[in-house]
Amino acid sequence: MAPPVNRRTSYSRKAQYSTFAAYVAGVLGVLGGGAVLASSVFGHSAFGWMHMVAADVQAPAARIGAQTRAGAGDALSVAGGFLTSGAENSRLRREVALARTRAIETQAVLDENRRLKDQLHLLSDTPQTLANAWLIASTASSTRRYATISAGSAQGVQSGMPVRTAQGLVGRVLEVGHMAARILLITDTESTVPVRRASDGTPAFVNGKGDGTLQVRLLSLGLNPLKKGDVFVTSGAGGLYWPGTPMAQVVSLTHDGAIARPLSDPAASEMVTVQPSWEPTTDPTLPPPAPDVPPPPPKKPKAPKGSKPGAADAKKHHP
């Protein structure tokens, strides 16, 4: 007669040890996962080095992918251009004629500004390009808006530097690796940029909403002066972002500001430029600080009318 099959672990010491080890491994796994989850929620920078290591590893392959996408997009544009070349050529001729006239007017304004600056002895300070990089990855569905660029500490990139395209501001550098960097996009909810309206200099703040749009909040409450189509540029207040960088355009109005869209869409951008942080104290176009003037000496009390100078002192010494 065959021996009965042991269905309970109490009949086998080996089975008991195996079951106990499985329980211990499961409990340790749950505790470890909870610790990692709590660390990622309450300490955002705890795993920053892991992000940068992963970004450095995938940067070469991501760069090749970005170049491939750019080449494929150019090929599709050329193929589509053959179908609309006639009408497009006529339209471009009209635009070129109009642009030529406006270019002459713009050059005249630039010449006048240069002459005025020479008379006032003002110096122009144009931001220098620190590095040009590929925008190799970006978060499209997450509530946080980050992106990765193919330039890091090897190219001189540092945390806090502004990142832009030809269309406008994209964000600022958040974490830096050796060959890649992670940037915080202006559409992120943690991004706040001081701006001004390009037409009249109305000051405001722009905050990301996390859905690809921006919230414009005016500094002065009351009647909302904004209109659809208004363009905002960075004001340079507080440093970091260079003043005059294009940033957003108003698409709808709110009771205390407006909703705007960024002029530079990260999803449609391929190349970005990293600039050094702007420091107002080193801007040569700003006037020098005022010299320290000592306070005036205290005034002596005036003697009452009808009394001679020194009469009170004489009475004190000669009763």
Side-chain angles (χ1 to χ4, degrees):
M1 182 176 180
V5 179
N6 293 332
R7 299 185 180 273
R8 298 175 56 187
T9 57
S10 58
Y11 292 105
S12 174
R13 184 74 63 177
K14 182 178 181 181
Q16 292 177 357
Y17 288 153
S18 300
T19 304
F20 178 75
Y23 281 124
V24 170
V27 171
L28 292 178
V30 171
L31 294 178
V36 172
L37 180 61
S39 177
S40 63
V41 171
F42 298 103
H44 298 289
S45 60
F47 298 94
W49 64 274
M50 298 179 63
H51 295 157
M52 289 298 96
V53 170
D56 289 339
V57 171
Q58 68 177 1
R63 188 184 301 112
I64 295 175
Q67 295 173 354
T68 304
R69 291 194 302 271
D74 294 340
L76 293 176
S77 299
V78 172
F82 283 106
L83 302 177
T84 60
S85 59
E88 189 73 14
N89 192 14
S90 177
R91 184 180 63 83
L92 290 177
R93 286 179 181 274
R94 294 192 300 268
E95 290 184 359
V96 167
L98 180 61
R100 186 179 293 111
T101 303
R102 291 181 176 177
I104 295 174
E105 297 174 354
T106 303
Q107 187 61 41
V109 173
L110 292 177
D111 294 339
E112 183 180 3
N113 289 338
R114 185 167 55 252
R115 291 194 301 269
L116 292 176
K117 288 182 178 181
D118 292 339
Q119 293 178 3
L120 297 175
H121 304 288
L122 293 178
L123 300 176
S124 60
D125 189 17
T126 304
Q128 301 295 326
T129 299
L130 182 67
N132 294 317
W134 289 94
L135 188 64
I136 57 179
S138 62
T139 54
S141 59
S142 174
T143 56
R144 302 304 305 275
R145 300 292 176 172
Y146 299 112
T148 305
I149 60 176
S150 61
S153 58
Q155 290 77 28
V157 178
Q158 298 179 4
S159 178
M161 290 185 172
V163 181
R164 61 163 298 173
T165 64
Q167 289 75 27
L169 185 67
V170 173
R172 60 181 174 88
V173 178
L174 190 64
E175 299 172 346
V176 182
H178 183 67
M179 296 297 297
R182 195 182 189 195
I183 64 174
L184 180 72
L185 300 178
I186 57 175
T187 54
D188 188 84
T189 55
E190 297 294 330
S191 174
T192 301
V193 182
V195 297
R196 58 178 174 85
R197 188 161 62 171
S199 58
D200 57 359
T202 301
F205 280 97
V206 169
N207 299 97
K209 296 188 63 179
D211 58 356
T213 60
L214 303 170
Q215 176 72 50
V216 181
R217 300 187 183 276
L218 298 173
L219 294 183
S220 58
L221 300 178
L223 184 63
N224 190 348
L226 303 182
K227 298 179 296 183
K228 291 184 179 180
D230 286 345
V231 176
F232 281 87
V233 298
T234 55
S235 63
L240 185 61
Y241 300 104
W242 288 83
T245 304
M247 184 172 176
Q249 185 176 23
V250 174
V251 294
S252 63
L253 301 180
T254 61
H255 68 282
D256 62 344
I259 302 298
R261 62 174 180 85
L263 295 176
S264 181
D265 186 7
S269 303
E270 301 169 355
M271 294 288 296
V272 296
T273 298
V274 182
Q275 297 175 341
S277 302
W278 183 65
E279 299 179 4
T281 55
T282 61
D283 186 4
T285 62
L286 297 178
D292 295 334
V293 179
K299 296 182 179 180
K300 296 181 179 180
K302 295 182 179 180
K305 294 183 179 180
S307 62
K308 296 182 179 180
D313 296 336
K315 290 181 180 181
K316 290 181 180 180
H317 295 291
H318 302 281

